[in-house]
Amino acid sequence: MTLDSETRYIHGACPLDCPDTCSWIVTVKKGEPIALRGDPEHPFTRGSLCNKVVDYLTYARSPHRLLYPMRRIGPKGCGEFSRISWDEALDEIAERFRDVIARDGAEAIWPIAGSGSMGLIQGIYGAGRRLWNVLGTSRNDYTLCTIAGGFGTGYTLGDNKVGMDPELFRFSKLIVLWGANLLSTEPHLWRPILEARKHGAFVVTIDPIRTRTAAAADWHLAPKPGTDAALALGLMHVVLTQGKEDRQFIAEHTIGWEKFRLRILEFSPSRAATITGLPSQDIIDLGKRLAEGRPTGIRIGIGLQRHGGGGMAVRTISCIPGVTGDWRYPGGGVFYDTRGFFGLNWNALWRDDLRPRQTRALDMKRLGKILLETDKPLVSILFVYASNPAASVPNQNQVLRGLARNDLFNVVIEHFLTDTACYADIVLPATMQTEHRDLLMAYGHLYIAWNEPAVSPPFECLPTTEIFRRLARKLGLNEPALYESDETMATQLLDSRHPSLDGITLEKLKAQGWMRLNYPSPFVPFERSFPTASGKLEFVSERMAQAGFDPVAGYTPTHEMSQQDTFLAHEYPLALITPANHYFLNSIFANIPRQQQRAGVPTLLIHPDDAESRQIAGGDEVRVANARGSFFAVADVSDRVRPGVVASSKGRWPRDFKQGATVNATVDDRDSDMGGGAVYHDNRVRVDKVE
Ligand code: SF4
């Protein structure tokens, strides 16, 4: 788009780990980006960017940005580096690769990509995968985020990443925001909700914390963390008591109803109240609203499933619209993820056929443990990009010890000298979103977007894909797929023959910036059938039985939170959860002074009753500890959190904490119930005032 010969408007999209995937337009004058705004034409994100990203151009021009390849010159972790050339950097990396492959095999190399960029070409989904396949390195099992809930969704609906179209919340009469703080983590979903509200919708939030969203809702229920499945069953119990189950939908579109009905009947409101800590009258009242509120739209937040029963919780909540029949209505159903609707040609992008044999998958949430293990082949090279595991992976003390291993060769592609980068042997400077090409899907709507570079990369920064192309060349690899351009890879990804992408081409995306997937509007995906083997919503799942789970949807207690009268519960009496920070996106922006100022010092939210019994006053320094580790924070004494629960937000960098440990120092690296997901919200601690 061009206005005059000096001013250009460039389409792009936000690459960050957020369901909204906002489309944006960069104004470039005389080659300089002078403004960034949301694309007003985008039907879902409609022209606004959130507080974190609105100043992205300044972020990209930060004086602290990495601009050259660097080699570490001080001890690991100290952050002392000296500038080297790209040739020197890539020669050294290639030499290390060759040595390690010859000595231990390629599985001694562990490439770790995180959600720092959700770009399909430059980020977590695609970058580097072809190179790792050709070399036959270990694979990264990305277990930090949505995986347990994905499994739970899949067991009920048949696909891990599908649900109701979020745009259709505007038709909902009852909206349940279940563990979802939209105003901090997906602000554009709030718009259809406001629209529904104008037409009389009632908005309920379910969250152990009175978040910004909870404060803005019509009603807030604060159950104990990790008890959501019991609440869901209690609510369905009320629906049955009211005789409001949709018998026709159940008969035609579900399987296993009799067994599930008996399971529901085990969870009377009073039993659900005992488990959740909610008044049973609240469960009855919300159950009655659910019984009458056609259609009801439920948003399940990602954090809800980060505990020992998280997969089952998402599975069971996804059953609710099967009981009420809401899956048949626009504005009815459950939304957890939308990525399953995109129909992209992953095989063409990844080229897993290039891998000589199946190699081991290493669990990212156990990064520390695995780095410290002596199992062969020992991880000798860690290659990290779009990720800051020192800040974001559980069991942080182990992670830092692992990164400090002197015999570990560590390469980090980054924008800033993160805590992880400080442990690197070689740091490589990557482009930011306004400087490279990328294709983006969303996990919170049905639009695909193209990101065109608005400006040239600063100094010696390179797109992550270009770094991999150059490294392949240094390694002397002949496979042509390793050298394909970003546009070629995007075209291959779009060329899937899936009906959702009918008519969507790179050329059209370049012209418009975004396109809606080729689905009808309104899109009611499970009106007639579900993508399960049975074609029906599965209250009872044969696949679960085969995987060794209880096949009937139900309630799985957490590992630590639900313990009572145990040694652990006495020793560590408070349940610690780690919600998203309003000003950071995971660990991104946590180093930016403007966002740091707005966010203030690291705090621990603690209920007045819990504070009083520990002689803690607001503003006191506290130590939060368990057997895994500890961190320091300032007490924020408030009834925004329920008694027995404390909260400290995620995302901050270890260096900003006394003794260099964040909330993740206390988080275990054990598995959730499904998919090996991380359990950030399943964590018992003790809290003491620091004298
Ligand atoms: S972080 Fe989310 S809300 Fe903010 S600009 Fe990016 S996609 Fe939009």
Side-chain angles (χ1 to χ4, degrees):
M1 235 193 306
T2 305
L3 191 66
D4 57 51
S5 58
E6 291 187 333
T7 307
R8 293 179 308 133
Y9 297 96
I10 312 289
H11 285 296
C14 178
L16 301 182
D17 182 9
C18 165
D20 292 5
T21 312
C22 291
S23 280
W24 70 33
I25 296 173
V26 187
T27 307
V28 179
K29 193 158 192 165
K30 295 183 183 173
E32 280 299 309
I34 57 166
L36 172 76
R37 64 193 164 102
D39 184 344
E41 303 297 322
H42 192 285
F44 191 77
T45 59
R46 298 202 212 172
S48 63
L49 302 172
C50 67
N51 83 77
K52 299 161 214 157
V53 172
V54 71
D55 209 14
Y56 193 85
L57 295 181
T58 309
Y59 176 66
R61 287 191 287 246
S62 165
H64 302 297
R65 184 142 171 215
L66 298 173
L67 300 171
Y68 309 98
M70 299 193 298
R71 180 187 287 125
R72 186 170 48 77
I73 52 173
K76 290 204 170 193
C78 75
E80 287 169 31
F81 289 84
S82 73
R83 181 178 167 183
I84 53 174
S85 69
W86 271 106
D87 267 340
E88 284 175 283
L90 293 174
D91 280 337
E92 184 170 338
I93 296 166
E95 192 183 326
R96 291 291 193 134
F97 271 44
R98 278 191 288 266
D99 287 352
V100 164
I101 291 169
R103 191 186 66 216
D104 302 322
E107 282 184 292
I109 301 170
W110 185 0
I112 285 194
S115 59
S117 164
M118 300 299 278
L120 295 167
I121 307 296
Q122 301 291 346
I124 183 171
Y125 297 111
R129 182 143 170 174
R130 291 176 176 190
L131 177 62
W132 310 130
N133 279 337
V134 168
L135 293 175
T137 64
S138 289
R139 292 171 292 125
N140 185 45
D141 195 2
Y142 187 73
T143 48
L144 302 189
C145 197
T146 58
I147 193 162
F151 270 75
T153 313
Y155 283 132
T156 297
L157 306 179
D159 187 316
N160 289 17
K161 293 185 166 69
V162 293
M164 70 174 275
D165 178 353
E167 279 186 272
L168 301 189
F169 274 103
R170 68 181 189 273
F171 296 129
S172 307
K173 287 291 175 235
L174 174 65
I175 294 171
V176 183
L177 304 175
W178 208 320
N181 179 12
L182 308 190
L183 294 178
S184 293
T185 60
E186 48 181 325
H188 297 85
L189 184 57
W190 192 242
R191 203 186 305 251
I193 288 169
L194 288 181
E195 219 175 305
R197 237 181 179 180
K198 258 193 233 156
H199 297 104
F202 189 80
V203 181
V204 183
T205 54
I206 299 174
D207 199 311
I209 305 173
R210 194 166 70 247
T211 60
R212 287 169 189 255
T213 311
D218 297 308
W219 190 21
H220 171 216
L221 298 178
K224 293 180 190 170
T227 62
D228 306 282
L231 176 58
L233 291 160
L235 295 173
M236 286 186 270
H237 190 287
V238 179
V239 172
L240 295 194
T241 312
Q242 300 287 306
K244 291 291 185 180
E245 70 273 25
D246 184 332
R247 289 182 192 156
Q248 189 194 6
F249 187 88
I250 290 169
E252 292 175 4
H253 299 294
T254 72
I255 59 169
W257 172 240
E258 255 324 295
K259 283 188 178 157
F260 187 50
R261 193 180 71 84
L262 294 175
R263 174 64 50 85
I264 291 171
L265 292 178
E266 292 169 19
F267 285 82
S268 64
S270 64
R271 181 173 176 214
T274 305
I275 297 170
T276 60
L278 292 171
S280 77
Q281 191 56 47
D282 282 359
I283 296 171
I284 293 167
D285 290 347
L286 182 55
K288 284 183 178 169
R289 284 186 182 274
L290 188 59
E292 301 294 339
R294 297 286 71 70
T296 291
I298 301 173
R299 167 52 165 155
I300 304 180
I302 308 297
L304 179 147
Q305 45 91 58
R306 290 182 179 143
H307 63 79
M312 185 61 103
V314 175
R315 163 161 167 69
T316 301
I317 295 170
S318 300
C319 289
I320 293 176
V323 174
T324 57
D326 273 312
W327 283 117
R328 65 162 99 219
Y329 306 115
V334 165
F335 152 47
Y336 177 65
D337 199 331
T338 56
R339 282 172 287 187
F341 291 120
F342 280 72
L344 293 158
N345 189 348
W346 295 110
N347 291 335
L349 177 69
W350 292 340
R351 296 297 312 274
D352 287 349
D353 57 299
L354 298 173
R355 188 166 284 261
R357 64 182 175 84
Q358 186 66 313
T359 52
R360 65 179 179 177
L362 298 176
D363 181 349
M364 185 167 169
K365 74 173 181 302
R366 296 216 176 87
L367 173 66
K369 228 169 238 167
I370 293 170
L371 288 180
L372 295 171
E373 269 169 6
T374 50
D375 282 3
K376 296 288 179 192
L378 183 73
V379 175
S380 301
I381 294 180
L382 194 67
F383 199 111
V384 180
Y385 49 112
S387 186
N388 184 5
S392 56
V393 170
N395 220 336
Q396 189 173 60
N397 293 329
Q398 276 200 347
V399 172
L400 297 178
R401 280 205 300 279
L403 292 175
R405 248 180 57 199
N406 271 326
D407 60 340
L408 179 73
F409 182 70
N410 186 355
V411 181
V412 174
I413 300 178
E414 251 304 349
H415 300 138
F416 294 96
L417 201 58
T418 61
D419 289 82
T420 306
C422 285
Y423 285 88
D425 294 278
I426 302 281
V427 176
L428 305 174
T431 45
M432 285 191 182
Q433 189 73 348
T434 43
E435 301 151 5
H436 58 220
R437 287 177 181 77
D438 213 341
L439 186 67
L440 295 111
M441 64 175 172
Y443 60 97
H445 56 67
L446 301 177
Y447 297 83
I448 189 162
W450 176 249
N451 182 79
E452 186 69 14
V455 289
S456 306
F459 296 87
E460 295 189 11
C461 295
L462 288 178
T464 302
T465 46
E466 178 58 18
I467 295 173
F468 288 122
R469 283 188 281 264
R470 292 189 185 193
L471 180 56
R473 215 162 276 129
K474 290 283 185 191
L475 287 163
L477 300 170
N478 298 322
E479 170 53 51
L482 297 175
Y483 302 101
E484 285 177 338
S485 71
D486 299 343
E487 289 197 14
T488 301
M489 287 191 278
T491 305
Q492 292 164 346
L493 196 47
L494 290 171
D495 183 19
S496 73
R497 300 198 187 148
H498 191 285
S500 67
L501 293 169
D502 261 3
I504 297 181
T505 64
L506 190 55
E507 290 64 39
K508 287 187 194 167
L509 280 171
K510 280 184 168 183
Q512 188 175 326
W514 50 266
M515 291 179 80
R516 188 175 195 272
L517 296 178
N518 190 26
Y519 288 107
S521 184
F523 176 46
V524 185
F526 311 129
E527 200 177 358
R528 293 197 180 82
S529 69
F530 290 83
T532 52
S534 63
K536 300 185 173 191
L537 182 147
E538 299 194 346
F539 294 130
V540 175
S541 161
E542 184 53 34
R543 277 201 304 137
M544 285 189 82
Q546 282 165 8
F549 293 109
D550 179 350
V552 186
Y555 161 61
T556 303
T558 55
H559 295 309
E560 294 192 2
M561 306 288 236
S562 45
Q563 292 194 31
Q564 286 172 1
D565 292 330
T566 62
F567 174 77
L568 190 82
H570 285 123
E571 201 69 5
Y572 304 111
L574 295 170
L576 170 62
I577 54 177
T578 68
N581 190 297
H582 188 68
Y583 300 100
F584 312 142
L585 209 154
N586 300 333
S587 64
I588 293 176
F589 307 117
N591 62 323
I592 300 301
R594 186 175 103 128
Q595 296 303 88
Q596 285 179 331
Q597 257 171 25
R598 290 164 148 193
V601 295
T603 57
L604 182 83
L605 191 57
I606 183 167
H607 189 272
D609 296 349
D610 294 320
E612 193 185 355
S613 60
R614 292 165 177 78
Q615 285 89 47
I616 292 168
D620 283 348
E621 189 185 21
V622 293
R623 179 173 178 267
V624 185
N626 60 22
R628 292 177 283 270
S630 63
F631 66 98
F632 294 86
V634 171
D636 177 0
V637 179
S638 167
D639 66 0
R640 296 202 310 282
V641 70
R642 58 168 297 137
V645 178
V646 287
S648 190
S649 69
K650 67 175 180 176
R652 293 178 188 269
W653 294 11
R655 70 179 62 155
D656 292 331
F657 281 73
K658 190 169 160 185
Q659 295 185 3
T662 74
V663 62
N664 282 336
T666 62
V667 175
D668 200 0
D669 56 15
R670 70 166 85 174
D671 290 349
S672 64
D673 55 341
M674 294 178 195
V679 292
Y680 292 99
H681 306 309
D682 196 347
N683 187 13
R684 283 190 163 275
V685 293
R686 57 176 296 146
V687 176
D688 297 295
K689 180 175 170 174
V690 176
E691 297 296 347

